Amino acid sequence: MGADNHQIVVPSLLDVRKGNLAEIGRLLGRHQFKKVVIFFGMGLTDMLGEKVFASMKEAGIDILETKEVSDIDIDSVVDHAFQLPFQTEAVIGIGGGKALDAAKYTALLRKWPFISVPTSTSNDGFSSSNTSLTIHGRRISVHAKMPYGILIDIDVVKNAPECFIYSGVGDLVSKITAAEDWIFEEQNGHTRVDDCALMLSKKAVNSFVRTDFGTIRDDLFLKELVDSLTMAGISMEIAGNSAPTSGSEHLISHALDTFSSKPQLHGIQVGVASYLMSKVQNHRYERITKVLQDTGFFTFAKTVGMTMADFDMAIDRAPEMKPMRYTFLHVANYRELAHQILHDDPILKDILA
Ligand SMILES: [Zn+2]
């Protein structure tokens, strides 16, 4: 492998605060943007448009076009990207997954900066260079580009349904098991861990799991969650791959997505799988248990109807999801242990039908 020289790009605009959506114009003006296009998630123009438009107007920024995104088929995204005015200086995505995915890919195609404005914090996608698009009917993760800017209004993410907050919690604790898989992979001669990416990803999750909170809608809790998910996204950029943020627990979730009759939000599947894998790895499962218990994640996960049979199948299919990697689940003995824990662990027996 040896030395590589991939370019690391980190966001230049990073603003996580209460009420900053009303200041989006000023924040973009600070970076000299004068002409922008905005992609909204479905229904969000009505909900947030007025505030955004007023702020842009006040800052003297022209909005050349706005669009609500429902379709993330790669062909439609490409087609639309090349109809946008050439004067555009930045593409802003405001929404949950799809608006950000479409805006990120459009920004890549037209070589414009992408400004990521997530309205919920269900995973680390808002701060990563990956985008998820539909290709021939299947949702596929495509490498795109790092956001030039990330702007998150704590008041907005606070009002998102609790499932999105829990999904973010699940995706974040997964960095604990992902790191362990990555180290395991190097110990077995399959890769070289990027020290800096590993440090960043560990710091991100540790800062979060040590934060005191009353409820999951506390401002400080949400700010920690968002900041840590952002750092996790950046650790991927540093590593040049997703290993620092995605290990065996993600493979279980990817597998569930391929066959489950009722796939759940990414971070909900990943959170449960992280708990399972922390027991398989025999690594920091007390900490993961405490966070998932104290936040109410387990109680929520129990309500969505995930099944033990699906998890059994996902454990077996996990290695196929990324055959080139070497996580704990790529080893038959650990898959067997995972099945055993799945059926014996009182928490998993309680959550899964
Ligand atoms: Zn994830």
Side-chain angles (χ1 to χ4, degrees):
M1 219 184 287
D4 55 24
N5 55 357
H6 79 272
Q7 288 247 314
I8 295 164
V9 182
V10 295
S12 301
L13 186 170
L14 189 55
D15 202 273
V16 181
R17 270 181 305 126
K18 285 167 72 68
N20 62 0
L21 196 61
E23 291 179 56
I24 187 169
R26 184 183 64 76
L27 292 163
L28 292 174
R30 201 178 143 232
H31 290 257
Q32 271 72 50
F33 294 119
K34 286 285 169 210
K35 293 178 171 29
V36 302
V37 298
I38 306 179
F39 289 32
F40 282 102
M42 290 306 283
L44 291 182
T45 318
D46 278 353
M47 242 167 87
L48 305 170
E50 206 176 322
K51 197 182 271 183
V52 171
F53 301 151
S55 171
M56 295 288 195
K57 195 170 175 209
E58 202 184 336
I61 296 173
D62 290 336
I63 301 169
L64 303 180
E65 197 176 312
T66 72
K67 174 194 166 79
E68 287 207 342
V69 178
S70 58
D71 180 9
I72 47 157
D73 184 79
I74 192 160
D75 294 329
S76 357
V77 174
V78 173
D79 191 52
H80 177 257
F82 288 100
Q83 292 176 37
L84 289 168
F86 70 90
Q87 298 93 334
T88 305
E89 293 166 359
V91 186
I92 302 166
I94 302 178
K98 288 181 179 175
L100 303 187
D101 286 326
K104 198 186 283 182
Y105 202 62
T106 300
L108 171 78
L109 292 170
R110 300 293 306 261
K111 296 193 163 61
W112 293 324
F114 163 57
I115 313 292
S116 180
V117 186
T119 52
S120 69
T121 54
S122 52
N123 59 62
D124 53 23
F126 67 82
S127 67
S128 86
S129 52
N130 289 337
T131 184
S132 165
L133 300 172
T134 312
I135 302 171
H136 294 297
R138 276 191 62 201
R139 201 84 189 256
I140 290 179
S141 180
V142 183
H143 188 80
K145 67 189 299 188
M146 259 325 251
Y148 175 90
I150 300 172
L151 186 157
I152 304 172
D153 187 333
I154 294 294
D155 290 331
V156 172
V157 298
K158 186 185 220 163
N159 288 314
E162 63 175 1
C163 60
F164 293 119
I165 302 177
Y166 282 129
S167 178
V169 170
D171 201 31
L172 189 55
V173 298
S174 78
K175 310 319 166 207
I176 296 177
T177 44
E180 197 64 8
D181 273 317
W182 203 18
I183 293 165
F184 176 79
E185 197 168 19
E186 173 171 314
Q187 283 167 347
N188 286 281
H190 290 264
T191 190
R192 175 177 51 82
V193 166
D194 182 304
D195 299 331
C196 184
L198 181 67
M199 182 191 77
L200 195 62
S201 151
K202 279 187 170 179
K203 282 277 169 196
V205 63
N206 285 340
S207 164
F208 171 74
V209 298
R210 289 173 187 149
T211 301
D212 286 327
F213 65 94
T215 82
I216 57 164
R217 291 188 200 274
D218 282 4
D219 291 338
L220 180 64
F221 177 84
L222 288 169
K223 171 133 174 68
E224 273 294 326
L225 177 62
V226 168
D227 284 353
S228 295
L229 286 170
T230 304
M231 281 167 78
I234 293 170
S235 73
M236 248 189 281
E237 176 72 7
I238 293 174
N241 61 59
S242 64
T245 64
S246 161
S248 49
E249 73 299 317
H250 270 70
L251 300 182
I252 291 180
S253 174
H254 296 325
L256 288 171
D257 288 338
T258 64
F259 67 79
S260 169
S261 55
K262 211 179 147 200
Q264 300 298 325
L265 280 172
H266 173 77
I268 302 298
Q269 295 180 164
V270 164
V272 174
S274 285
Y275 170 72
L276 168 65
M277 288 315 299
S278 68
K279 293 225 138 177
V280 173
Q281 296 170 340
N282 194 19
H283 175 73
R284 296 192 73 188
Y285 57 83
E286 298 95 341
R287 177 60 87 171
I288 291 185
T289 310
K290 182 170 168 25
V291 174
L292 297 182
Q293 226 149 28
D294 292 355
T295 52
F297 177 96
F298 283 143
T299 314
F300 175 80
K302 190 180 171 175
T303 64
V304 299
M306 290 182 287
T307 69
M308 202 160 267
D310 275 0
F311 269 75
D312 267 323
M313 191 181 278
I315 289 167
D316 291 329
R317 295 216 182 153
E320 298 160 31
M321 296 297 119
K322 284 192 180 165
M324 300 308 285
R325 290 208 56 190
Y326 194 81
T327 68
F328 278 76
L329 287 185
H330 286 75
V331 181
N333 286 349
Y334 286 117
R335 285 199 298 278
E336 203 173 303
L337 180 59
H339 286 297
Q340 222 175 72
I341 292 170
L342 180 67
H343 289 269
D344 294 345
D345 184 82
I347 292 178
L348 291 169
K349 281 204 284 194
D350 182 46
I351 295 175
L352 303 173

